[in-house]
Amino acid sequence: MRFHSPQKLKTIADLIGSEFVGPEDFEILGTNEIHMVKPGDIVFVNHPKYYDKALNSAATIILIDKKVECPEGKALLVSDDPFRDFNKINTHFTRIYNFTEELHDVEIGEGTKIHRTAVIGNNVVIGKNTLIFPNVVIGDRTVIGDNVVIQSNTVLGGDAFYYRKLNGNFDRLISVGNVVIENNVEIGNGCTIDRGVTDSTVIGEGSVLDNQIQIGHDTVIGKKCLIASQVGIAGCCVIGDEVTLWGQVGIASGNKIEDGSVILGKTGVNRDLKKGTYIGMFAEDFKGYLKKEVKLRNLK
């Protein structure tokens, strides 16, 4: 999430009531998660296991639960609860409406047709010649390109599935990102595409999604991908261009699939995959799988 204007380190520290390490006027441009951070961003970390990763990331401001040595050129915000304060910063700069108010700052392109039963949030942009079917829900800040088809009961921009356990209950990391649907995308019935926590969940140009597909927060789908029914993709995944995912494929969080890959039905992806064709519970090479099956059947 980028702030509307740059902020100062002391301003953010005062907002959340934290200590800080660094110059008072150290410039802050926004917030982001560890896998998406850029210079000027705040990233939060609340476990020693991940201190080094956060401190050595591209982020230049680290919201952390312990005062540590600050890397050169960076700053610290020292908080007793970085998770809570990350939410506080994000919701201070991005208001969450959740359809409770109809401000409807919506931009709709020429030739676009939207069924009267569709529900559209605030600060939404929809391009030209796009078709939105009955009962579609489009959340705040969603951006939809030209020549897009979104079929019935699909939800764009729901909350990210991102929680921590706190005092025996689940505490949500509030999603202030959005969904971006590029030009010439087709999305089937009953799909759910969650908005990013602090960035964008993206469906690339020319991709086609079947019915009943779930795509998690901050996942980026490449151009001209083909995704069949009941595929589930967790958050923070990167799917390359022209990738085919057949029915009931499941992809665990944070994995990458290279351009041109084919993932056959019911395959589970629990690691990054190079270009190829894969099958099986743990995504093994398809040719290797066939050879193994032949050997097993020839055993006597």
Side-chain angles (χ1 to χ4, degrees):
M1 177 190 71
R2 281 315 216 203
F3 300 144
H4 293 301
S5 60
Q7 303 294 311
K8 303 302 182 185
L9 182 64
K10 187 177 186 304
T11 304
I12 300 300
D14 289 346
L15 172 66
I16 60 177
S18 76
E19 295 182 63
F20 63 90
V21 176
E24 289 189 3
D25 61 351
F26 194 95
E27 189 172 74
I28 304 176
L29 303 179
T31 68
N32 227 325
E33 290 185 89
I34 189 67
H35 63 288
M36 302 290 286
V37 287
K38 299 177 283 293
D41 284 343
I42 299 171
V43 68
F44 85 92
V45 60
N46 56 1
H47 194 290
K49 179 179 178 181
Y50 302 110
Y51 283 177
D52 285 346
K53 184 175 182 181
L55 291 164
N56 295 313
S57 71
T60 42
I61 305 91
I62 295 83
L63 175 59
I64 191 168
D65 60 352
K66 180 181 179 181
K67 187 177 287 188
V68 296
E69 185 176 349
C70 184
E72 186 177 353
K74 299 193 177 189
L76 302 181
L77 292 161
V78 184
S79 162
D80 64 334
D81 190 343
F83 190 104
R84 176 201 65 208
D85 287 339
F86 196 70
N87 271 339
K88 189 171 184 178
I89 295 166
N90 287 336
T91 55
H92 178 83
F93 290 98
T94 302
R95 188 172 174 187
I96 304 298
Y97 296 103
N98 288 331
F99 301 101
T100 57
E101 298 180 43
E102 294 188 9
L103 303 182
H104 276 176
D105 183 10
V106 178
E107 179 183 328
I108 300 174
E110 183 179 356
T112 286
K113 298 186 184 302
I114 302 172
H115 193 271
R116 59 182 176 80
T117 61
V119 178
I120 300 176
N122 301 304
N123 302 312
V124 170
V125 177
I126 303 173
K128 300 176 183 178
N129 301 314
T130 285
L131 182 60
I132 298 176
F133 283 43
N135 300 319
V136 168
V137 177
I138 299 173
D140 294 350
R141 301 178 300 281
T142 298
V143 178
I144 300 171
D146 300 336
N147 306 308
V148 171
V149 176
I150 303 172
Q151 297 193 35
S152 297
N153 301 310
T154 282
V155 178
L156 305 180
D159 288 321
F161 187 69
Y162 195 138
Y163 294 84
R164 65 169 174 175
K165 199 75 172 288
L166 181 67
N167 300 324
N169 298 307
F170 292 108
D171 183 28
R172 179 191 294 277
L173 190 64
I174 298 170
S175 310
V176 296
N178 72 338
V179 171
V180 176
I181 309 296
E182 295 184 350
N183 297 339
N184 304 309
V185 167
E186 295 187 17
I187 301 174
N189 298 287
C191 295
T192 49
I193 302 175
D194 294 342
R195 68 183 182 269
V197 172
T198 49
D199 214 291
S200 298
T201 303
V202 180
I203 310 300
E205 183 175 359
S207 289
V208 177
L209 279 61
D210 195 2
N211 304 323
Q212 298 178 332
I213 291 166
Q214 157 67 15
I215 297 175
H217 67 89
D218 298 289
T219 281
V220 177
I221 307 292
K223 301 179 188 303
K224 297 183 180 178
C225 291
L226 186 68
I227 304 178
S229 180
Q230 298 182 2
V231 164
I233 304 174
C236 309
C237 293
V238 178
I239 312 299
D241 297 339
E242 299 185 34
V243 169
T244 300
L245 305 175
W246 290 117
Q248 298 186 340
V249 164
I251 304 176
S253 177
N255 288 301
K256 298 180 180 180
I257 299 177
E258 284 194 352
D259 296 354
S261 294
V262 177
I263 315 300
L264 299 175
K266 295 190 175 182
T267 295
V269 178
N270 64 346
R271 67 186 191 283
D272 293 352
L273 297 180
K274 299 291 186 182
K275 182 177 179 180
T277 300
Y278 295 88
I279 193 171
M281 183 179 294
F282 300 110
E284 56 185 306
D285 175 73
F286 183 54
K287 288 183 179 179
Y289 166 82
L290 291 177
K291 290 177 182 178
K292 182 183 71 176
E293 286 295 305
V294 169
K295 288 180 181 178
L296 288 173
R297 292 182 185 187
N298 288 334
L299 289 176
K300 293 184 180 179

